[in-house]
Amino acid sequence: MIKTAIFDFDGTLADTIPLCLEAFRRAVNDLDGRVLTDKEIERNFGPDDLGVIRKLFPGKPELHEHGRELFIHYYQELHAEMAPAPFPGTVELLHSLRNSGIRLAMVTGKRRESADISLKFFHLDGFFPVLETGSPEGGVKTDRINRALERLGASAREAVYIGDSPSDVDACRAVPVRIIAAGWAPGADVKGLEERCPDWLLTRFEDLEPFFRKHAADVNPVSYTHLRAHETGAYL
């Protein structure tokens, strides 16, 4: 039975990763003239926004705060162009879950500042009474999921995390809490998610609502169900 749903943000509720990449790229270019590729930026992901800037400018603490400010400036400036809306059906899904009595929370690796920008831009800020964000040091998602469960007064046995990164699967195993691997974003690492053997893997966002409709009443879900919604309409 699922009574609590904890959502990641980037790549899970919205395709905001390209926005993040471009905001970091422009911030770095403003500071020292480098033009970084997506891969050069992505290899520094894990910490929050400030932590990524620190990794992009190692040994240059004098640039870190200004880099964070520039990232936020571009993140906000480019939002409407690069991430104009969450995934189709997001608002309806969250309304449905909340109305059915499922408790909602968000645990994201983003810094609170950029998380608030996107949640307000998408008008999603009213859905998550509990919001836990990342750290400049990175590697805190397990702790943040535990904190979210504690703040909700929720049991990990009756909760599920929805996240798009293979590292999310590792974090959930450490709680432990079940995970729906989100493989629907255009840049999703579906192969990497498969290799981690999440409890469930969905490749279409629109299959979340019927999934919850079934599993909110399913007392004994299987430990691993690999779902490719475009290949099978069954929810096992």
Side-chain angles (χ1 to χ4, degrees):
M1 181 178 294
I2 295 174
K3 295 183 178 180
T4 301
I6 304 174
F7 285 87
D8 183 31
F9 186 76
D10 295 313
T12 299
L13 289 181
D15 187 22
T16 44
I17 292 176
L19 168 62
C20 294
L21 290 168
E22 187 59 25
F24 280 122
R25 184 168 16 253
R26 295 194 186 196
V28 170
N29 184 253
D30 281 4
L31 284 172
D32 70 3
R34 284 180 293 162
V35 180
L36 300 181
T37 66
D38 286 355
K39 289 193 178 298
E40 287 173 321
I41 299 169
E42 287 172 342
R43 70 169 62 116
N44 295 285
F45 280 4
D48 69 9
D49 313 339
L50 175 59
V52 173
I53 290 292
R54 288 178 179 176
K55 292 178 72 174
L56 291 170
F57 292 96
K60 297 182 179 180
E62 70 277 8
L63 298 180
H64 295 166
E65 182 57 24
H66 188 34
R68 181 198 63 79
E69 291 171 353
L70 284 169
F71 168 79
I72 289 297
H73 166 74
Y74 287 119
Y75 187 87
Q76 196 155 21
E77 180 181 81
L78 297 168
H79 211 304
E81 174 188 346
M82 298 195 68
F87 289 120
T90 294
V91 173
E92 293 81 0
L93 171 70
L94 295 175
H95 270 299
S96 175
L97 294 179
R98 187 170 63 182
N99 291 343
S100 68
I102 292 179
R103 290 168 291 195
L104 300 177
M106 177 170 286
V107 173
T108 172
K110 300 174 80 65
R111 196 169 177 84
R112 181 64 184 252
E113 192 172 15
S114 58
D116 282 343
I117 288 170
S118 286
L119 288 171
K120 289 175 183 176
F121 183 85
F122 292 140
H123 305 290
L124 300 178
D125 45 321
F127 286 105
F128 302 103
V130 169
L131 171 61
E132 292 285 345
T133 53
S135 162
E137 308 306 320
V140 297
K141 189 157 279 190
T142 296
D143 172 70
R144 300 303 194 252
I145 294 172
N146 276 316
R147 279 173 33 172
L149 290 168
E150 182 178 356
R151 290 175 63 188
L152 287 169
S155 164
R157 289 186 59 194
E158 296 178 332
V160 67
Y161 184 80
I162 305 95
D164 70 308
S165 170
S167 64
D168 289 338
V169 182
D170 299 336
C172 288
R173 293 285 178 256
V175 173
V177 67
R178 292 169 295 173
I179 180 170
I180 300 171
W184 47 75
D189 182 8
V190 175
K191 182 178 180 181
L193 291 169
E194 288 178 328
E195 290 173 350
R196 291 298 206 283
C197 292
D199 299 282
W200 299 279
L201 172 61
L202 299 180
T203 56
R204 298 193 314 180
F205 183 86
E206 57 264 36
D207 290 303
L208 271 177
E209 196 278 332
F211 172 91
F212 276 107
R213 190 168 61 243
K214 170 178 170 51
H215 288 277
D218 189 347
V219 179
N220 295 303
V222 296
S223 60
Y224 174 64
T225 303
H226 177 198
L227 300 179
R228 287 185 178 278
H230 61 280
E231 295 175 356
T232 173
Y235 287 82
L236 303 177

